[in-house]
């Protein structure tokens, strides 16, 4: 038996998990999603991810046909059905099936699906040696248009930037905002360390309030490390003592070169290593527990 997918209340085989070509998630990218992880039968920050999903939907006037409690139960049910201890969880809510026009009122009920699968990780070597990234030309969406806080299915802004990175031989890229300040990466937040202070751009820079980002800020403060939200230019990134990226999939990944400029000593820095250790400790000791 293969992978089971949660689709509108039922658990179906992956091969049978199909949605309509009239679904507005597909026709218009009209929908929202979350990417969550579980570690050894603990779902990390499930409440926070569910909260963000419902906030994204609220902004789009998209009514999710499940309570938050029901949604959390559906996540756990899907993990159990697939007997997954460690998983990447993709939660998707689309506007649902409508006609060929944009009007969302034609879509009577939202489509909900949950994929729980094995997580594809960056190679361990990258955490030891650090990553090289570049800045790409595609600018992060302006908040007045498609707000980066909404984790919508309309991810072309990030896909474009990712293409530019990959075309140049890099796996991740810095996206600047329309004012020229550093916003974030295509699927990760960015942090710098300068003279012992941890910095990351504030939300109004076009930065998604990442859940890993929030965790790292909290872990730093608990460890007595000054941690602030700070507007950053590329110059400040180039001249930081340490740079790292955060995301559900990446956790904390050290960056050792940006646009050809070596960062600090050109190897993962001490604060980056300390925070990665603390973060990994958190993921293995806290979360929503389930049994298989
Ligand atoms: N910024 C953006 C634009 C994201 O999409 C993050 C930051 C990190 O947020 P969290 O909450 O995960 O700490 C994300 C989320 C992928 C992939 O395949 C990554 C994300 C979303 C979708 C796919 O790498 N990251």
């Amino acid at each position: 038996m293969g992978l089971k997918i949660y689709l509108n209340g039922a658990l179906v085989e992956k091969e049978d998990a199909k949605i309509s070509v009239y679904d507005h998630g597909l026709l218009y990218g009209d929908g929202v999603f979350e990417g969550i992880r579980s570690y050894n039968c603990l779902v990390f920050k499930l409440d926070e991810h569910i909260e963000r999903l419902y906030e994204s939907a609220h902004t789009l006037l998209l009514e999710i046909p499940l309570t938050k409690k029901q949604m959390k139960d559906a996540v756990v049910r899907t993990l159990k059905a697939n007997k997954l201890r460690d998983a990447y969880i993709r939660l998707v809510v689309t506007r649902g099936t409508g006609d060929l026009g944009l009007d969302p009122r034609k879509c009577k009920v939202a489509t909900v699906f949950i994929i729980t699968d094995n997580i594809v990780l960056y190679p361990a070597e990258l955490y030891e040696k650090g990553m090289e990234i570049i800045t790409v030309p595609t600018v992060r969406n302006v908040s007045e248009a498609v707000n980066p806080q909404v984790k919508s299915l309309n991810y072309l802004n990030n896909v474009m930037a990712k293409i530019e990175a990959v075309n140049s031989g890099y796996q991740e890229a810095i996206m600047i905002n329309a004012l020229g300040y550093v916003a974030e990466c295509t699927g990760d937040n960015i942090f710098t360390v300068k003279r012992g202070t941890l910095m990351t751009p504030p939300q109004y820079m076009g930065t998604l309030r990442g859940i890993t980002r929030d965790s790292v800020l909290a872990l730093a403060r608990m460890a007595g490390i000054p941690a602030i939200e700070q507007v950053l230019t590329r110059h400040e990134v180039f001249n930081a003592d340490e740079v790292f990226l955060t995301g559900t999939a990446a956790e904390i990944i050290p960056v050792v070169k940006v646009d050809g400029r070596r960062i600090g000593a050109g190897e993962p820095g001490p604060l980056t290593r300390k925070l990665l250790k603390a973060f990994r400790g958190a993921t293995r000791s806290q979360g929503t527990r389930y049994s298989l």
Side-chain angles (χ1 to χ4, degrees), residues 46-245:
L46 181 57
D47 287 349
E48 287 80 354
H49 281 284
I50 298 294
E51 207 56 49
R52 188 170 68 182
L53 181 79
Y54 280 71
E55 285 191 4
S56 292
H58 183 69
T59 290
L60 301 186
L61 278 173
L62 166 55
E63 199 186 324
I64 301 179
L66 298 172
T67 63
K68 291 174 190 172
K69 169 80 169 67
Q70 288 170 330
M71 188 63 91
K72 285 182 234 176
D73 289 346
V75 168
V76 168
R77 189 177 152 209
T78 314
L79 286 165
K80 283 160 93 78
N82 289 297
K83 298 205 169 5
L84 286 164
R85 278 182 176 282
D86 297 273
Y88 183 77
I89 303 153
R90 175 61 58 89
L91 241 163
V92 183
V93 182
T94 81
R95 187 74 68 177
T97 304
D99 65 15
L100 292 178
L102 267 83
D103 190 349
R105 288 172 302 185
K106 299 285 170 57
C107 307
K108 291 303 170 205
V109 58
T111 301
V112 180
F113 60 90
I114 304 170
I115 305 169
T116 58
D117 208 335
N118 293 311
I119 162 127
V120 183
L121 298 171
Y122 281 126
E125 190 197 64
L126 216 52
Y127 293 84
E128 287 305 314
K129 290 191 175 159
M131 194 184 227
E132 299 185 14
I133 62 172
I134 55 166
T135 309
V136 290
T138 294
V139 163
R140 191 75 178 103
N141 279 338
V142 295
S143 303
E144 298 81 357
V146 182
N147 195 314
Q149 301 313 321
V150 177
K151 261 185 95 70
S152 82
L153 296 181
N154 214 305
Y155 242 53
L156 279 178
N157 183 221
N158 310 62
V159 171
M160 296 272 288
K162 182 84 174 185
I163 289 168
E164 288 158 357
V166 171
N167 273 350
S168 299
Y170 295 85
Q171 304 185 63
E172 218 356 326
I174 293 179
M175 299 182 77
I176 57 172
N177 66 20
L179 298 172
Y181 296 105
V182 173
E184 58 178 336
C185 293
T186 71
D188 297 296
N189 288 114
I190 188 165
F191 282 79
T192 61
V193 176
K194 186 72 172 177
R195 290 183 212 97
T197 298
L198 189 64
M199 299 180 219
T200 194
Q203 281 177 61
Y204 62 82
M205 287 289 105
T207 307
L208 175 73
R209 185 172 164 190
I211 286 161
T212 317
R213 173 184 177 277
D214 274 357
S215 303
V216 168
L217 286 171
L219 286 168
R221 286 166 186 158
M222 270 194 285
I225 300 163
I228 59 170
E229 292 186 297
Q230 172 69 47
V231 174
L232 294 171
T233 62
R234 289 168 68 234
H235 171 80
E236 285 151 339
V237 174
F238 298 153
N239 291 286
D241 300 325
E242 300 180 35
V243 174
F244 63 82
L245 311 181

